[in-house]
Amino acid sequence: MKKTDDPLSEYKEKRDFGVSPEPGADLAAEKSFLTFVVHKHLARHPHYDLRLELQGVLKSWAVPKGPSLDPTHKRLAVPVEDHPLAYSDFEGEIPPKQYGAGAVIIWDRGNWEPLGDPQAGLSAGNLKFRLHGQKLRGSWALVRMKKKSGDKKDSWLLVKERDAFARPETDSDVSPSRRKGMAAGKKILTLPEGAKPSPLPAVLSPQLATLVDKVPANADWIYEIKLDGYRILARIEGPEVKLFTRNGQDWTSKLKDLVPAIGALGIDSGWLDGELVIFGGNGLPDFGALQAAFDSSRMEAIHYYVFDLPFYAGFDLRETKLVDRRVLLAQIVGRSATEQIRFSEDFNAPGRNIYASACRLGMEGIMGKNKDSAYVSGRTRSWIKLKCTKQQEFVLVGYTESKARKERLKAMLLGFFDEFGRLRYAGRVGTGFDNLTEAKLKQRLDSLSMDSSPLYDPPNIEARWVKPELAAEIAFSGWTKDGKVRHPVFRGLRDDKPTKDIVRETALNVTGLQSKDPQPPPYQSGLVASEYLGLTISNPTRVIDPSTGLRKADLADYYQRAARWILPQLDNRPVSFLRAPAGIQGQLFFQKHAETLRIQGLKVFDI
């Protein structure tokens, strides 16, 4: 065939686009992530096609027997013509008498990363790469075989490398014995519109809800029951499952009985967000029973209710619509339902009715989530919470002793941080714990003993003071005029929440609630400066940490939320600027000359 400078010339010559539904032959621009797709092609000779995006086209190989996760089973891979990048979304029936006539379905897809220079690897006949797909994961190699006499085309071998994603042929979900069902056209789960290929971040901060005073009047929301338990995020990568609290503590060892149930969902890669609960004798979530289960290491009755899916199968779903993410999540949980893993259902009823029913049944409250909202780490107004009773976390700052028996607790002293980062006194709690719980509480408090009060405004009482490192869940009836809790009842310790984040919760007036949080514009090369959090930031959505996907706007948001702790420490103190204009993986340097920065409010320290 005549050589041309057009890599898609052979693709064009073989097809009549007036008859075939296949996409046209347009070159695509380079992207930050390289996609891959595996098609199952039910042509005259059924086979699989592996396609890797490179330089604006899909480099393609026909793999007659399909990929194998077993490194000892090498698969023949025959190079075919380059395909346009639009082919990665193609499924359909190629009509009879057309080239490749037959059904084409997407069998797997995701993103891939070359291990080394891909062009050099192709030229040398040894292309090594890593796949992040729904079925195919880990490291692979395409190795060119020595051409035999009479061979018109090169032949390659597709080989799975030995890593955590390798499987024996008999155990593999993509082995020939299990692949027979694919001939019927079984499709993979459909990703939400707006999903972006992405490596799986090592850490993920959860989205948090804003307390509001009443149910919004508009219909932009879905509502779930507010479950009274521990917030847990699950990270899944191949056979490894890790479980984290909302502040990033690794609780995998505490929840080892939950790991196999999550693994049984069949997710090769992703993050799940949900709540860990135990139900009491009345059929309602029982936080006390949950804490007792942790204390006794008896986890048989624990349930993990999942409600969001920020990452899945090599794709970042955070900017897709909430309702679309939940449809996909419900399908994943529904097809592999277990007693321990459950989908947190929303209710098809007006929010005010759901809230009234939840309160009537003695539940903690409800969660409202904007239907079209993105998943945003940190506290947002696109997720809201309504509580049936007043209940929040407080910092334990000390305790008073029983006059009759010094070894007994009389009451624990409570605190919270104000807007200036000062620890304020909030009263005392002396009910809600039995003798066994009391003994354990006193033991933990005594281990944190300190000589002076950690409070900004300590009460004039005789007390044992402790380091402010323990958080407690407290139910109460209201606040006094001088800022103390009325009728508090201890409900349990919150080892999953950092005390530095504990403030006095104030319900937002729902009339001022926007239906969703303002989102920064999508990143474009050369994007002009934008207003974000009251500051002018150039390229707010530019990724500055590729390992986590952290953007400039995320860093600004962090400083906004951490300001009340940071600013008092910086008052009248000089600071140095460590700059990373090319991101944290680029060159780092200390700024020496202030006049080149042009930062509003920046003052030079007179040495």
Side-chain angles (χ1 to χ4, degrees), residues 211-388:
L211 181 67
V212 297
D213 59 353
K214 59 183 177 181
V215 177
N218 58 35
D220 295 337
W221 306 84
I222 64 168
Y223 295 95
E224 304 167 55
I225 294 300
K226 190 177 188 305
L227 298 168
D228 194 7
Y230 283 129
R231 182 78 171 272
I232 294 291
L233 292 97
R235 184 184 189 274
I236 307 151
E237 187 168 23
E240 184 180 59
V241 175
K242 288 191 174 182
L243 302 168
F244 299 94
T245 65
R246 58 179 280 178
N247 62 321
Q249 296 181 55
D250 189 337
W251 277 18
T252 310
S253 60
K254 291 185 178 184
L255 299 167
K256 56 182 180 292
D257 293 341
L258 193 59
V259 169
I262 294 175
L265 293 175
I267 299 174
D268 287 330
S269 164
W271 278 92
L272 294 171
D273 193 356
E275 191 88 1
L276 208 65
V277 299
I278 281 183
F279 293 99
N282 58 359
L284 300 178
D286 187 332
F287 184 77
L290 179 61
Q291 191 164 61
F294 274 97
D295 292 341
S296 63
S297 298
R298 299 189 64 177
M299 302 295 183
E300 302 88 357
I302 280 182
H303 302 287
Y304 184 40
Y305 276 82
V306 291
F307 46 71
D308 214 325
L309 186 66
F311 286 84
Y312 176 66
F315 285 83
D316 181 349
L317 307 185
R318 289 177 296 177
E319 292 188 20
T320 66
K321 293 182 178 181
L322 169 71
V323 288
D324 294 340
R325 297 196 303 271
R326 284 177 54 81
V327 166
L328 177 58
L329 179 59
Q331 291 173 337
I332 293 169
V333 177
R335 70 180 184 181
S336 305
T338 67
E339 179 63 22
Q340 285 182 292
I341 314 294
R342 301 180 181 182
F343 178 67
S344 178
E345 299 281 356
D346 53 88
F347 296 89
N348 185 22
R352 61 181 181 276
N353 294 354
I354 300 170
Y355 178 62
S357 296
C359 296
R360 187 169 59 250
L361 292 171
M363 294 180 172
E364 185 183 357
I366 63 172
M367 298 289 298
K369 298 174 183 178
N370 185 273
K371 295 177 181 178
D372 296 336
S373 61
Y375 188 96
V376 181
S377 295
R379 196 166 303 281
T380 69
R381 295 186 180 187
S382 54
W383 284 20
I384 58 176
K385 55 186 176 181
L386 295 102
K387 294 184 177 182
C388 296

Side-chain angles (χ1 to χ4, degrees), residues 371-557:
K371 295 177 181 178
D372 296 336
S373 61
Y375 188 96
V376 181
S377 295
R379 196 166 303 281
T380 69
R381 295 186 180 187
S382 54
W383 284 20
I384 58 176
K385 55 186 176 181
L386 295 102
K387 294 184 177 182
C388 296
T389 59
K390 285 185 169 56
Q391 185 171 302
Q392 73 158 82
E393 299 84 27
F394 287 90
V395 185
L396 295 183
V397 296
Y399 66 90
T400 58
E401 295 175 318
S402 167
K403 291 184 179 180
R405 298 176 61 182
K406 289 286 187 182
E407 71 277 8
R408 299 289 298 273
L409 281 177
K410 183 178 182 182
M412 291 180 290
L413 308 183
L414 308 175
F416 63 87
F417 287 96
D418 66 15
E419 64 270 26
F420 301 107
R422 301 174 300 194
L423 188 56
R424 309 300 295 261
Y425 181 55
R428 63 183 86 183
V429 57
T431 59
F433 43 86
D434 56 22
N435 291 341
L436 179 60
T437 304
E438 177 189 349
K440 291 180 179 178
L441 283 171
K442 190 172 186 303
Q443 186 178 16
R444 291 195 65 176
L445 291 167
D446 286 342
S447 69
L448 298 172
S449 177
M450 61 187 301
D451 294 334
S452 59
S453 170
L455 292 164
Y456 174 76
D457 54 347
N460 186 23
I461 58 175
E462 185 177 342
R464 301 278 186 177
W465 302 108
V466 300
K467 298 174 184 177
E469 298 178 9
L470 289 180
E473 182 88 15
I474 305 295
F476 57 102
S477 62
W479 292 88
T480 64
K481 289 183 179 180
D482 59 347
K484 309 299 185 295
V485 288
R486 284 195 179 98
H487 312 121
V489 178
F490 175 78
R491 300 194 65 250
L493 293 178
R494 297 300 309 237
D495 292 321
D496 60 325
K497 295 188 179 181
T499 56
K500 62 182 178 62
D501 290 343
I502 294 176
V503 298
R504 175 173 169 174
E505 288 189 347
T506 304
L508 178 72
N509 187 320
V510 78
T511 57
L513 184 70
Q514 294 181 357
S515 61
K516 58 183 178 181
D517 294 305
Q519 297 296 318
Y523 174 70
Q524 302 169 15
S525 179
L527 185 69
V528 297
S530 299
E531 288 294 322
Y532 188 84
L533 295 175
L535 301 173
T536 300
I537 299 177
S538 62
N539 295 346
T541 54
R542 181 181 138 212
V543 174
I544 58 176
D545 181 2
S547 67
T548 62
L550 187 78
R551 307 167 303 172
K552 290 178 75 172
D554 297 323
L555 184 61
D557 180 59

Side-chain angles (χ1 to χ4, degrees), residues 84-105:
L85 193 56
Y87 215 94
S88 61
D89 295 320
F90 174 67
E91 288 186 306
E93 186 82 24
I94 301 175
K97 298 183 180 181
Q98 294 297 305
Y99 176 75
V104 178
I105 62 171

